[in-house]
Amino acid sequence: GENVEQHPSTLSVQEGDSAVIKCTYSDSASNYFPWYKQELGKGPQLIIDIRSNVGEKKDQRIAVTLNKTAKHFSLHITETQPEDSAVYFCAASRGYGGSQGNLIFGKGTKLSVKP
Amino acid sequence: EAGVAQSPRYKIIEKRQSVAFWCNPISGHATLYWYQQILGQGPKLLIQFQNNGVVDDSQLPKDRFSAERLKGVDSTLKIQPAKLEDSAVYLCASSLGSREGRTSSYNEQFFGPGTRLTVL
């Protein structure tokens, strides 16, 4: 089955710096890659996603890149702010429809943004 | 719009006891998911419902875990008897549906705050 590896497990940056989190996946049939942000005591919240027919997607300070050949995808946060501090999870799935849409999550990255 | 509701938020039990968690999805969401999130790990899917039918329960330890969604709305997840390794946060999520060709917003999963279970 699918396996998603996520690195680093912890990341500390200064406010205003950029942060990059990387994930690799094993199932070449995976075609949907969302990123979730989880704050303490809350459930994960979708922040951005990308499908395999796109190489890059951007939403304000957040961007995701996908390399299908290498089977890895990355989250980029620019101009980090203290409120970006949280645990970030990447996930992969084969797409939608029944169990094909089931998400396999990475182990998470704890991002700390120091003022 | 109200989010996914879960209760209780916290539960402490002793091993071999039983426990039940409740989830109320976002109104109109046909698909409901239960995840187990062990400390320091990502969520792992336990079971997926489409309306009141089970789509995928391959990761559910059926000897001790059960779940139901009788009327296609609320859902309960039960553990009987609990083991020490069941200590985790149990997350419920819902989406409008889960269908190929639909927009991301149709399939986007919205998570509840979770129930933190401690088994002593």
Side-chain angles (χ1 to χ4, degrees):
Chain A
E2 173 68 282
N3 182 50
V4 176
E5 298 284 341
Q6 182 172 348
H7 300 280
S9 56
T10 59
L11 180 59
S12 182
V13 299
Q14 287 294 133
E15 182 177 0
D17 287 350
S18 295
V20 180
I21 302 170
K22 299 181 179 181
C23 288
T24 60
Y25 61 98
S26 60
D27 186 355
S28 56
S30 290
N31 61 9
Y32 175 62
F33 307 93
W35 285 88
Y36 287 83
K37 176 183 181 182
Q38 187 172 27
E39 296 176 324
L40 199 61
K42 298 184 179 180
Q45 180 181 14
L46 180 71
I47 56 172
I48 195 167
D49 57 12
I50 191 168
R51 301 202 68 177
S52 60
N53 56 350
V54 175
E56 183 174 359
K57 184 176 178 181
K58 196 171 182 180
D59 183 4
Q60 299 182 342
R61 297 186 297 109
I62 295 173
V64 57
T65 58
L66 171 65
N67 183 325
K68 283 181 59 180
T69 303
K71 288 192 275 188
H72 66 70
F73 55 113
S74 300
L75 177 71
H76 304 253
I77 305 174
T78 59
E79 300 173 23
T80 53
Q81 301 167 3
E83 51 264 39
D84 294 330
S85 296
V87 179
Y88 291 80
F89 291 96
C90 62
S93 83
R94 289 188 171 190
Y96 311 119
S99 61
Q100 295 296 308
N102 291 346
L103 295 172
I104 306 299
F105 284 84
K107 290 190 174 182
T109 296
K110 184 176 182 180
L111 174 64
S112 300
V113 180
K114 299 179 179 178
Chain B
E1 160 181 282
V4 176
Q6 289 188 246
S7 68
R9 292 296 313 275
Y10 306 92
K11 189 74 178 179
I12 300 174
I13 62 173
E14 295 188 350
K15 59 183 179 182
R16 292 189 288 273
Q17 284 188 322
S18 301
V19 65
F21 312 125
W22 173 82
C23 172
N24 181 233
I26 293 173
S27 178
H29 280 196
T31 307
L32 185 147
Y33 311 79
W34 282 103
Y35 289 86
Q36 180 191 58
Q37 186 176 22
I38 292 173
L39 186 65
Q41 297 185 20
K44 184 186 85 170
L45 180 72
L46 292 175
I47 188 167
Q48 176 188 350
F49 290 96
Q50 181 75 16
N51 296 308
N52 61 350
V54 175
V55 174
D56 184 358
D57 63 357
S58 58
Q59 299 292 314
L60 189 72
K62 299 180 186 63
D63 57 334
R64 298 183 300 105
F65 286 65
S66 64
E68 60 183 14
R69 194 185 184 199
L70 293 175
K71 296 183 179 179
V73 181
D74 294 5
S75 178
T76 56
L77 176 70
K78 297 179 182 178
I79 307 175
Q80 179 180 9
K83 292 185 175 182
L84 296 177
E85 58 261 37
D86 298 332
S87 294
V89 174
Y90 290 85
L91 295 163
C92 179
S94 70
S95 66
L96 278 170
S98 179
R99 197 168 295 173
E100 185 68 41
R102 292 284 186 151
T103 61
S104 293
S105 60
Y106 186 85
N107 297 279
E108 179 181 347
Q109 296 185 30
F110 293 84
F111 284 81
T115 296
R116 180 177 295 279
L117 173 67
T118 302
V119 182
L120 302 175

